[in-house]
Amino acid sequence: MPPPADIVKVAIEWPGAFPRLMEIDQKKPLSSIIKEVCEGWSLGSHENFALQHADSTNFYITEKNRNDIKNGSILRLTTSPAQTAQQLHERIQSSSMDAKLEALKDLANSSRDITFAQEFINLDGLSLLTQMVESGTERYQKLQKIMKPCFGDLLSFTLTAFVELMDHGIVSWDTFSMAFIKKIASYVNKSAMDTAVLQRSLAILESMVLNSQDLYQKVAQEITIGQLIPHLQGNDQDIQTYTIAVINALFLKAPEEKRQLDENDVNILDCPLTEMAHILAQKQLRSIILSNVIRSTRPINDEMAHQLYVLQVLTFNLLEDRMMTKMDPQDQAQRDIIFELRRIAFDVECEPNNSGSIEKRKSMYTRDYKKLGFINHVNPAVDFTQIPPGMLALDNMLYFAKHHQDAYIRIVLENSSREDKHECPFGRSSIELTKMLCEILKVGELPSENCHDFHPMFFTHDRSFEEFFCICIQLLNKTWKEMRATSEDFNKVMQVVREQVMRALTLKPNSLDQFKSRLQNLSYTEILKIRQSERMNQEDFQSRPILELREKIQPEIMELIKQQRLNRLCEGTCFRKISSRRRQDKFWYCRLSPNHKVLHYGDLEESPQGEVPHDSLQDKLPVADIKAVVTGKDCPHMKEKGALKQNKEVLELAFSVLYESDEYLNFIAPDKQEYCVWTDGLNALLGKEMTSDYTKSDLDVLLSMEMKLRLLDLENIQIPEAPPPIPKEPSNYDFVYDCN
């Protein structure tokens, strides 16, 4: 007979004694279990003891997480968190260097546990650590020359403990003094600093900048790009990762308002986005990252890949201002750019104002603007009033005309001299291409939380977007000719070009030249072959009998998908509570009861290994009480001011369940698949249609598979459009066998 579900068999250790095997009744209060264990070893004052996991975590067992104890677990009897925190609080103030060092080492290890962290913070432990950083360690400065390793370890463990304590989100980052910030910044600014201290200091600065605009201002007063860049030139990838993370954080928090930039001032505080980008270019950040990180012999880990992706996104986001700026047709400086495009293309000398009549000059301009491929021949400035791409398209055209002049002139003259209606309009193409490239690179969108999709080739040139455009506009002209397109085919050409660019980017070229080479292998003919190959891998189910069979099967498949969604809800999902610091993870779990009538949910200390049982989840929500399911911006937790920085990806993963009295249960799915599973499942419970992309994909796959199975015997047999005629009745039925 299996043991009761509330009984867990464990082994409990106590230093100097043999481990005890015992059964823990999860229905009993934890204090009574600890008392029982203490009495077994004749220990008094059981309130001063606690149980913790005897693994690498050493996390304390509390009433909240006790249900995580599994059969066969090894536990340890130890001093209570409050008493341990009190002891460490006293030990780290010891006058003995060795004792202090050992205490700080223990503190750094223990601070990973939120139960201990809460007790230590209640003793004002964070203030003690910050005081030690600000002034306490100064007492040991004179000993650095003879005890440098010891001093480095002392500071390292102090900062490690600080980072671990702050990661629990118990204390606000806004509470720290300017003296503390200056001290942390000084560790980053020093050329020779212990690696562990430097890493922790960079992590602290990143968190400060991300968590508070006020702290951004203070940190930016102390840190300069010039002081950060040397850390990228070392061999430690962790230090490089944290350094790029700090630069990214400063980018994210940079003020948007324009300020005058002093050429000699490289302080980040005075650098709104555009000016900061100029400084990064002056300090050759891109080339340093390219040579020391991307082209390093060391493989790039996931965290570094994410930081490079974030830097790539933020760099491209500098284009958003121009992308969303309309051209002012009355602005002479902007109109001069169009005149310059005309001059370079046709090598027209600037005529004096009095040469020829006004009508003649207007007629000449109109003719040339038509050759340049603008939609509005009379006033091409109107073409750039559409946002996006706004003035960014004109910037790209001018860059192409000046830096790739031969290719520019060739394209313009080649198309302006045609009279067979197959000319490729350079102006219109450039505007639409710029818009398309902005969509592909997601210019203006915030970086995703967990994406690692950076492209090495964008780190190989200071004007990578413009060069990217120059390659693509030549590709567009080439594809236009290969397709023998006319103006009516414009959208078709753009679709092919998008496919060519996307397929080339998927191959992750290491340089712009390699990207160009990849495009050479993706001609229009090759794209047609790829499309044909993809079509051949899919059955053509467009005939009427097949469509009728499909309609007949579809309800069965939808019911199957519905049951799968509900089964997944019964298994449950661990949801992450996203904080302002991306490395911090808090979890809660939700699952549907087997009878599909109740949602069980509750908080977790850490990500679970496998399913969490219903009885360990304290809260319940009857399905009958659910009024509606809302998603995205309609969710309450997405309407709060500054909620999760309104990250686009988070918005796409957010959903809420509305139940009685306008109460909400708010979710942020771990990924798009879980989002679709839960929104589909909840809608199915409410009797509503499942409309997610995941359902559409599943429906297509399962329908295709079922159709192929049912038509398996019809291979190589052409299916007629109309059913065959019913044959005439036979002259007799002698062939019928009477079973009676």
mmCIF file of all heavy atoms in Angstrom, residues 95-97 137-152 154:
data_model
loop_
_atom_site.group_PDB
_atom_site.id
_atom_site.type_symbol
_atom_site.label_atom_id
_atom_site.label_comp_id
_atom_site.label_asym_id
_atom_site.label_seq_id
_atom_site.Cartn_x
_atom_site.Cartn_y
_atom_site.Cartn_z
ATOM 1 N N SER A 95 37.481 42.598 14.385
ATOM 2 C CA SER A 95 38.725 43.336 14.137
ATOM 3 C C SER A 95 39.774 42.456 13.477
ATOM 4 O O SER A 95 40.770 42.955 12.947
ATOM 5 C CB SER A 95 39.266 43.903 15.455
ATOM 6 O OG SER A 95 39.476 42.849 16.389
ATOM 7 N N SER A 96 39.568 41.154 13.501
ATOM 8 C CA SER A 96 40.507 40.220 12.888
ATOM 9 C C SER A 96 40.221 40.113 11.392
ATOM 10 O O SER A 96 39.102 39.835 10.983
ATOM 11 C CB SER A 96 40.376 38.836 13.534
ATOM 12 O OG SER A 96 41.049 37.870 12.768
ATOM 13 N N MET A 97 41.269 40.338 10.601
ATOM 14 C CA MET A 97 41.116 40.257 9.156
ATOM 15 C C MET A 97 40.667 38.870 8.719
ATOM 16 O O MET A 97 39.762 38.725 7.896
ATOM 17 C CB MET A 97 42.438 40.617 8.471
ATOM 18 C CG MET A 97 42.425 40.451 6.964
ATOM 19 S SD MET A 97 41.434 41.686 6.120
ATOM 20 C CE MET A 97 42.608 43.021 6.051
ATOM 21 N N THR A 137 36.673 49.718 4.515
ATOM 22 C CA THR A 137 37.825 49.093 3.868
ATOM 23 C C THR A 137 39.018 50.038 3.781
ATOM 24 O O THR A 137 40.135 49.593 3.512
ATOM 25 C CB THR A 137 37.443 48.643 2.453
ATOM 26 O OG1 THR A 137 36.877 49.745 1.755
ATOM 27 C CG2 THR A 137 36.443 47.506 2.491
ATOM 28 N N GLU A 138 38.801 51.321 4.028
ATOM 29 C CA GLU A 138 39.910 52.262 3.977
ATOM 30 C C GLU A 138 40.980 51.914 5.015
ATOM 31 O O GLU A 138 42.158 52.201 4.830
ATOM 32 C CB GLU A 138 39.400 53.696 4.220
ATOM 33 C CG GLU A 138 38.421 54.209 3.164
ATOM 34 C CD GLU A 138 39.098 54.406 1.821
ATOM 35 O OE1 GLU A 138 40.340 54.451 1.780
ATOM 36 O OE2 GLU A 138 38.383 54.500 0.816
ATOM 37 N N ARG A 139 40.548 51.293 6.115
ATOM 38 C CA ARG A 139 41.514 50.931 7.161
ATOM 39 C C ARG A 139 42.533 49.927 6.658
ATOM 40 O O ARG A 139 43.610 49.794 7.208
ATOM 41 C CB ARG A 139 40.774 50.351 8.364
ATOM 42 C CG ARG A 139 39.939 51.375 9.116
ATOM 43 C CD ARG A 139 39.214 50.726 10.272
ATOM 44 N NE ARG A 139 38.207 49.781 9.799
ATOM 45 C CZ ARG A 139 37.536 48.967 10.620
ATOM 46 N NH1 ARG A 139 37.803 48.948 11.904
ATOM 47 N NH2 ARG A 139 36.622 48.163 10.131
ATOM 48 N N TYR A 140 42.159 49.218 5.586
ATOM 49 C CA TYR A 140 43.059 48.183 5.065
ATOM 50 C C TYR A 140 43.811 48.634 3.818
ATOM 51 O O TYR A 140 44.560 47.861 3.242
ATOM 52 C CB TYR A 140 42.248 46.920 4.752
ATOM 53 C CG TYR A 140 41.430 46.454 5.927
ATOM 54 C CD1 TYR A 140 40.049 46.651 5.946
ATOM 55 C CD2 TYR A 140 42.034 45.846 7.025
ATOM 56 C CE1 TYR A 140 39.292 46.250 7.030
ATOM 57 C CE2 TYR A 140 41.274 45.444 8.109
ATOM 58 C CZ TYR A 140 39.906 45.643 8.111
ATOM 59 O OH TYR A 140 39.158 45.246 9.185
ATOM 60 N N GLN A 141 43.608 49.897 3.415
ATOM 61 C CA GLN A 141 44.275 50.370 2.217
ATOM 62 C C GLN A 141 45.796 50.314 2.355
ATOM 63 O O GLN A 141 46.508 49.984 1.413
ATOM 64 C CB GLN A 141 43.844 51.824 1.913
ATOM 65 C CG GLN A 141 42.373 51.985 1.544
ATOM 66 C CD GLN A 141 42.072 51.487 0.156
ATOM 67 O OE1 GLN A 141 42.972 51.280 -0.639
ATOM 68 N NE2 GLN A 141 40.804 51.253 -0.130
ATOM 69 N N LYS A 142 46.299 50.644 3.556
ATOM 70 C CA LYS A 142 47.740 50.643 3.759
ATOM 71 C C LYS A 142 48.342 49.246 3.696
ATOM 72 O O LYS A 142 49.530 49.073 3.480
ATOM 73 C CB LYS A 142 48.068 51.280 5.118
ATOM 74 C CG LYS A 142 47.660 52.741 5.212
ATOM 75 C CD LYS A 142 47.964 53.308 6.585
ATOM 76 C CE LYS A 142 47.528 54.762 6.675
ATOM 77 N NZ LYS A 142 47.791 55.326 8.028
ATOM 78 N N LEU A 143 47.462 48.242 3.921
ATOM 79 C CA LEU A 143 47.956 46.864 3.911
ATOM 80 C C LEU A 143 47.884 46.244 2.520
ATOM 81 O O LEU A 143 48.269 45.083 2.344
ATOM 82 C CB LEU A 143 47.121 46.014 4.879
ATOM 83 C CG LEU A 143 47.124 46.474 6.348
ATOM 84 C CD1 LEU A 143 46.172 45.604 7.141
ATOM 85 C CD2 LEU A 143 48.520 46.389 6.941
ATOM 86 N N GLN A 144 47.391 47.013 1.536
ATOM 87 C CA GLN A 144 47.173 46.416 0.218
ATOM 88 C C GLN A 144 48.460 45.869 -0.388
ATOM 89 O O GLN A 144 48.449 44.825 -1.031
ATOM 90 C CB GLN A 144 46.573 47.447 -0.736
ATOM 91 C CG GLN A 144 45.078 47.628 -0.537
ATOM 92 C CD GLN A 144 44.468 48.382 -1.693
ATOM 93 O OE1 GLN A 144 44.548 47.943 -2.816
ATOM 94 N NE2 GLN A 144 43.869 49.519 -1.392
ATOM 95 N N LYS A 145 49.562 46.580 -0.206
ATOM 96 C CA LYS A 145 50.798 46.159 -0.850
ATOM 97 C C LYS A 145 51.291 44.815 -0.331
ATOM 98 O O LYS A 145 51.841 44.019 -1.078
ATOM 99 C CB LYS A 145 51.868 47.228 -0.658
ATOM 100 C CG LYS A 145 51.569 48.514 -1.414
ATOM 101 C CD LYS A 145 52.696 49.517 -1.258
ATOM 102 C CE LYS A 145 52.388 50.798 -2.037
ATOM 103 N NZ LYS A 145 53.461 51.798 -1.897
ATOM 104 N N ILE A 146 51.079 44.587 0.962
ATOM 105 C CA ILE A 146 51.567 43.331 1.535
ATOM 106 C C ILE A 146 50.461 42.291 1.657
ATOM 107 O O ILE A 146 50.744 41.108 1.799
ATOM 108 C CB ILE A 146 52.210 43.579 2.917
ATOM 109 C CG1 ILE A 146 51.203 44.246 3.863
ATOM 110 C CG2 ILE A 146 53.462 44.423 2.781
ATOM 111 C CD1 ILE A 146 51.740 44.385 5.290
ATOM 112 N N MET A 147 49.211 42.718 1.579
ATOM 113 C CA MET A 147 48.089 41.778 1.728
ATOM 114 C C MET A 147 47.068 41.981 0.607
ATOM 115 O O MET A 147 45.864 41.888 0.820
ATOM 116 C CB MET A 147 47.406 41.968 3.088
ATOM 117 C CG MET A 147 48.320 41.789 4.273
ATOM 118 S SD MET A 147 47.433 41.905 5.825
ATOM 119 C CE MET A 147 46.450 40.447 5.790
ATOM 120 N N LYS A 148 47.563 42.240 -0.586
ATOM 121 C CA LYS A 148 46.660 42.555 -1.692
ATOM 122 C C LYS A 148 45.652 41.445 -1.984
ATOM 123 O O LYS A 148 44.459 41.719 -2.155
ATOM 124 C CB LYS A 148 47.475 42.880 -2.945
ATOM 125 C CG LYS A 148 46.615 43.420 -4.081
ATOM 126 C CD LYS A 148 47.465 43.907 -5.226
ATOM 127 C CE LYS A 148 46.575 44.471 -6.333
ATOM 128 N NZ LYS A 148 47.369 44.966 -7.462
ATOM 129 N N PRO A 149 46.057 40.156 -2.058
ATOM 130 C CA PRO A 149 45.065 39.097 -2.307
ATOM 131 C C PRO A 149 43.973 39.059 -1.251
ATOM 132 O O PRO A 149 42.798 38.909 -1.550
ATOM 133 C CB PRO A 149 45.905 37.819 -2.303
ATOM 134 C CG PRO A 149 47.291 38.269 -2.616
ATOM 135 C CD PRO A 149 47.421 39.616 -1.987
ATOM 136 N N CYS A 150 44.368 39.249 0.008
ATOM 137 C CA CYS A 150 43.400 39.211 1.103
ATOM 138 C C CYS A 150 42.425 40.382 0.988
ATOM 139 O O CYS A 150 41.223 40.226 1.166
ATOM 140 C CB CYS A 150 44.136 39.240 2.438
ATOM 141 S SG CYS A 150 43.049 39.080 3.860
ATOM 142 N N PHE A 151 42.950 41.564 0.660
ATOM 143 C CA PHE A 151 42.102 42.733 0.519
ATOM 144 C C PHE A 151 41.123 42.551 -0.647
ATOM 145 O O PHE A 151 39.946 42.884 -0.546
ATOM 146 C CB PHE A 151 42.965 43.975 0.289
ATOM 147 C CG PHE A 151 42.168 45.208 -0.014
ATOM 148 C CD1 PHE A 151 41.501 45.882 0.996
ATOM 149 C CD2 PHE A 151 42.055 45.683 -1.315
ATOM 150 C CE1 PHE A 151 40.751 47.008 0.715
ATOM 151 C CE2 PHE A 151 41.305 46.801 -1.596
ATOM 152 C CZ PHE A 151 40.663 47.473 -0.580
ATOM 153 N N GLY A 152 41.614 41.995 -1.768
ATOM 154 C CA GLY A 152 40.748 41.756 -2.916
ATOM 155 C C GLY A 152 39.627 40.796 -2.576
ATOM 156 O O GLY A 152 38.478 41.012 -2.952
ATOM 157 N N LEU A 154 38.405 40.216 0.419
ATOM 158 C CA LEU A 154 37.529 40.891 1.383
ATOM 159 C C LEU A 154 36.486 41.739 0.651
ATOM 160 O O LEU A 154 35.281 41.647 0.917
ATOM 161 C CB LEU A 154 38.372 41.770 2.313
ATOM 162 C CG LEU A 154 37.626 42.489 3.436
ATOM 163 C CD1 LEU A 154 37.354 41.533 4.584
ATOM 164 C CD2 LEU A 154 38.426 43.688 3.936
#
